[in-house]
Every structure is written in structure tokens, then in C-alpha cells.
Amino acid sequence: MKLTVPQLQAATSPLVMVTAYDYPGALHAQNAGVDLILVGDSLGNVVLGYDSTAPVTLSDVIHHGRAARRGAPDTFLIVDMPFGTYHTGVTDAMRAAVQIIQQTGADAVKMEGSSPEVLQATATLTRNGVPVMAHVGLLPQTATAQGGMKVQGQGVEGAKQVLESALNVQGAGAFATVLEVIPARLARVITERLHIPTIGIGAGPYCKGQVLVTHDLLGVYEGEAKKIAKRYAEIGALSTQAIRNYAAEVRGGQFPAKENSFVIKDEVLDKLY
């Protein structure tokens, strides 16, 4: 059964969130019993082949959000607001959020950061019935301005800034917040200070829940695993080997075999000559 915002906020066990970008990914996540599914703009990196999340458009997240909702109709679904859709005023933010909710069937949207514009958009959306998940710490959409994809909040001023950001998004009405790539003990302080759930990614074990990009936990891409993730499978290597085996059998004449073929009666063939 799909959880509601109050149920998510009142949960006593750790919340489990994964990303999904299509029907089978969301179906597998729902069958596995996760609490939340995020149609993240990380689809730009792991599905569309971009170098960052910045090129992802509203049309992209709506397209993938629809597919994910079809795969997981009974799981709380969150869709990322792409870069640029919520920074130019509350009217634009509300319009984009309504499109996402109406066209994907999502239960909530997610926005990065805690700038005055983002806080105003968060307050407006929540006041008008659109649940908002916040995102503080490392902000992939604007990571260049943060000095790149690196740990945030390690110094005194940086730690204060992340804590203040978390308090501000809570004050604006966010029902939960992602904490990305910050020290574990800072995440613990933030989690203790907030009354909304914290969902960590690269933020240690003290958050209320955890999120991983599915492609990372499944090992879809071969190579060294990311520090913030753990691989629970090696799907990439298995897929490559399976396709290699298929290619070898086609070239060697083993596929398709008799069991993969259909038959026709001799008398039918005779009439063709």
C-alpha cells in the first residue's frame, strides 16, 4: 500500500528510497518493497548519457515519470524538478510542478537548494497541495558553483550553511529532505535538529532513510564502485557477457535452434512451388 506524507514522517523504521526511470525499474523497486521511488534528474547521467544533470528537461522527467508510475502504481513516487524550472519565480515553479503531478501521477516533487527563490517556491507549492522533498548538501544541478562534486560541510562555515539550509527548507514546508555527500556526524546533528525525515546519500548511517541510484547499486556500469554507494549486483558485467554469448551463438549457427523456430506442414510448402 502506498504510504502518505504523514505516514512517511511518522515512520519508525529507516525509509528506503531508490531511483527508477522506466517501467521495469520501478516495477522491480516496488516488488522489492521500497518505501519511495525517485525519478531523479540523475537520469541525465545514467540513462541519457549526459555529463551532468543540468541538460535534463521538464519533458524528460515527465516522460520517464509516466513510465515509472506505470511500473509502481502503489509506491510513493517523487519526480525531480529539473534545473531552471523553479528558479525564475513561483509562477514558473508552480506551473512546472502541476505539469509533473498531472502528467505523471507523482505524489511529490523534489527541488535542490535553499536559495530565497527555492524557499519561496517550496512554500507556494506546499501551500497549494504539492508535497515537496528538499535537497541540501551537494547539489548536482549546480555543483560547479560549489567547487565540483565534492564533500560539503567539512569546515565550520560550510557545516553551519548546510545545517541552516536544512532548517530553512523545513521551515518552508518541505516534508523531507535529502542530505547529499556531507560528513556523517553533521548529518546526525541535522537529523536530530529536524522534525522532518532526512534521506541520506553519501551522508552516513544516522539519517532517517537512505537513497541510492539504482544503476549504482545494481552495478549497471562496470568499473570502480562510487564511495557513496554499495554494489549489490554486477548487472553490467552479466549483460555484457550475455550479449557476447548471444553474438557467438548467432555467428556459430547455434541460435536460433529448433526450439526457437516455428513449423509449417509439408503440404503447405508444396503449394508454394
Side-chain angles (χ1 to χ4, degrees):
M1 179 181 294
K2 186 196 300 184
L3 297 174
T4 64
V5 168
Q7 287 172 330
L8 290 168
Q9 293 181 319
T12 56
S13 58
L15 296 170
V16 178
M17 183 163 81
V18 297
T19 63
Y21 315 101
D22 54 22
Y23 175 86
L27 177 64
H28 295 159
Q30 178 167 285
N31 288 346
V34 302
D35 301 303
L36 309 100
I37 291 174
L38 171 66
V39 182
D41 57 5
S42 50
L43 71 91
N45 303 98
V46 300
V47 176
L48 301 179
Y50 296 136
D51 292 332
S52 73
T53 63
V56 175
T57 66
L58 186 61
S59 296
D60 289 333
V61 297
I62 288 174
H63 173 80
H64 289 270
R66 285 172 171 167
R69 174 49 87 203
R70 289 192 289 269
D74 300 320
T75 303
F76 196 97
L77 184 73
I78 305 149
V79 175
D80 259 335
M81 297 271 281
F83 177 67
T85 60
Y86 53 97
H87 304 88
T88 55
V90 295
T91 300
D92 289 342
M94 191 70 199
R95 183 181 297 114
V98 167
Q99 280 186 257
I100 289 172
I101 297 296
Q102 287 183 335
Q103 296 183 38
T104 69
D107 300 291
V109 298
K110 183 170 75 65
M111 294 189 288
E112 291 186 9
S114 61
S115 67
E117 293 79 11
V118 174
L119 295 177
Q120 187 177 15
T122 300
T124 300
L125 265 60
T126 56
R127 189 166 59 247
N128 287 278
V130 179
V132 174
M133 175 175 280
H135 185 144
V136 301
L138 177 64
L139 309 176
Q141 290 181 358
T142 54
T144 300
Q146 293 181 297
M149 301 289 282
K150 63 181 185 179
V151 182
Q152 302 296 307
Q154 289 185 301
V156 174
E157 291 306 313
K160 287 181 178 179
Q161 184 177 0
V162 177
L163 173 58
E164 182 179 3
S165 294
L167 291 169
N168 285 342
V169 295
Q170 174 180 265
F175 74 89
T177 186
V178 169
L179 304 180
E180 180 163 3
V181 188
I182 64 172
R185 289 197 291 174
L186 174 59
R188 185 175 194 172
V189 170
I190 294 171
T191 300
E192 291 172 349
R193 290 283 299 275
L194 298 186
H195 62 255
I196 62 174
T198 57
I199 309 294
I201 178 167
Y206 305 115
C207 297
K208 177 63 178 176
Q210 299 291 331
V211 59
L212 278 182
V213 173
T214 306
H215 289 61
D216 290 338
L217 74 90
L218 292 180
V220 173
Y221 297 106
E222 298 178 54
E224 187 176 352
K226 296 177 181 177
K227 180 177 177 62
I228 65 173
K230 178 179 178 179
R231 285 189 175 173
Y232 292 84
E234 292 292 345
I235 299 299
L238 288 173
S239 296
T240 299
Q241 187 57 53
I243 296 170
R244 185 178 291 122
N245 293 344
Y246 158 71
E249 289 199 358
V250 170
R251 291 168 181 148
Q254 290 87 31
F255 181 86
K258 183 178 180 179
E259 60 267 25
N260 309 117
S261 305
F262 298 95
V263 299
I264 188 171
K265 294 180 179 179
D266 290 341
E267 54 266 33
V268 175
L269 282 179
D270 290 342
K271 295 184 181 298
L272 300 179
Y273 295 97

